[in-house]
Amino acid sequence: MFSIRARFRASFATLTEHRFITAAVLVDTIGAGLTLPLTIVYFTLTTDLSLAVIGLLSTAASLLALPVGLLGGVLTDRFGARASMVTNNLLSAAGFTLYLVAHDPVVVFAAIFLANASERLYWTSWTAYVHDLSAGRPFEQWFAFLEATKAAALGAGAVVAAVVLAGGGHDGLRWLVLANVVTSVAAAIVFATQRTGGTAPAATAARDLEDLRTGTLREFAADRSMRLITLGQFLIGPAMVLPNVALSVLFVERWHLPAAVAPVQFAVATGLAACLQTSVTRWVAGLDRGVLVAVGAGLTGLSVVPLIVLPPLDGVAAWSYVVSVGVLLAVADMLVLPAANAVMAEAPHPRIRGRAIGVFQTASSVGMALFPLMLGLLDTDVPWVLWAVTAAVFAGAAWAWRAAVAGLPPRVRVASPTDADG
């Protein structure tokens, strides 16, 4: 009982200390939850463009937005993670404003480009932002707390999206997008007016300089572990778009489930993460971070293996699969996200942390951008190839991450149980 009360007080203290930052995360993420499960489905329902054309536009826009992640690393190192967080929210607002008027390929391309540019900048700055916010305290404790907050907000947004879609049709889709524009602007204002945490204690900084090897970009590129993390991020990148791209298209276009299926599955995954993320992070404390990421990647691959042999489902069977995949992906994310982001924040030298994270997240973005190209396989006589390749990609991600972390110093490789409990 004492332990439960102590943890409640610790969580409340965290919320109170950074209540405005937490509010910004909530507002921003609720808006994302309204639209994230519908990224590709939106254009299939509101335009006359074919799925192949939308997939091509999505891939082209995503690839063109890739350098934004690298530029975001430079921006983060020079001006701080807060400036990057403000900028990514403004880009998001601009992109989703174009969603409202996108009907022809040019405007669809521009909308997807700006939305993707926002995402690239977000994933470059978010890990560094949490690192600054933790101010030398245990990274995973803070990351898990904020991820649980984000998951609750995403789930709430997804539930609202499901309700709106159930009764609003295409007009409901546009109201969801408009709401995301408003929340992005509001979050940018809050992030701009708040200060993040300070710097790490001197002892920690000295230890960083002593046992981390990569003080320059050249040394970073020559380090085997850094290259393997980059490869692992490239291979695990499709996990970020698997539910709202490949699976949502399968469920809506091939299994003929209602459009609300995407936010429903998303709500299942984010609801579990909101309730269990901090507990799972505490339970796995002391385990090798590379193993945790590898297990999460393996579970993600396992979620699509049945699709290699399953025929189209309907009714209870289809919905049972939707919920099961949501649960499996939630468990995978709860294992992967804190561990992987801790490694990406702590493995590079502090002087190049922003740029290193930019490289890691850009590699992930390449994987995300290339993945929609395979959607055309759903229109062929061998749709199972998409799921077989997807499973193989996540198996490769598990190997790369495990091998990468094995070559890092113990301090980076393993989070102690004491650190996880704060």
Side-chain angles (χ1 to χ4, degrees), residues 278-365:
T278 54
S279 296
V280 169
T281 300
R282 186 172 64 251
W283 294 336
V284 301
L287 299 181
D288 187 288
R289 286 165 169 164
V291 171
L292 294 176
V293 178
V295 171
L299 290 176
T300 305
L302 184 63
S303 70
V304 302
V305 168
L307 295 174
I308 298 174
V309 295
L310 273 181
L313 301 178
D314 57 22
V316 175
W319 282 101
S320 297
Y321 186 81
V322 168
V323 174
S324 298
V325 168
V327 172
L328 200 59
L329 294 178
V331 174
D333 282 350
M334 286 187 283
L335 293 175
V336 169
L337 289 176
N341 279 273
V343 171
M344 288 189 288
E346 296 175 6
H349 194 282
R351 286 199 297 268
I352 60 166
R353 179 175 289 120
R355 282 164 288 177
I357 293 173
V359 171
F360 296 147
Q361 299 292 13
T362 298
S364 176
S365 300

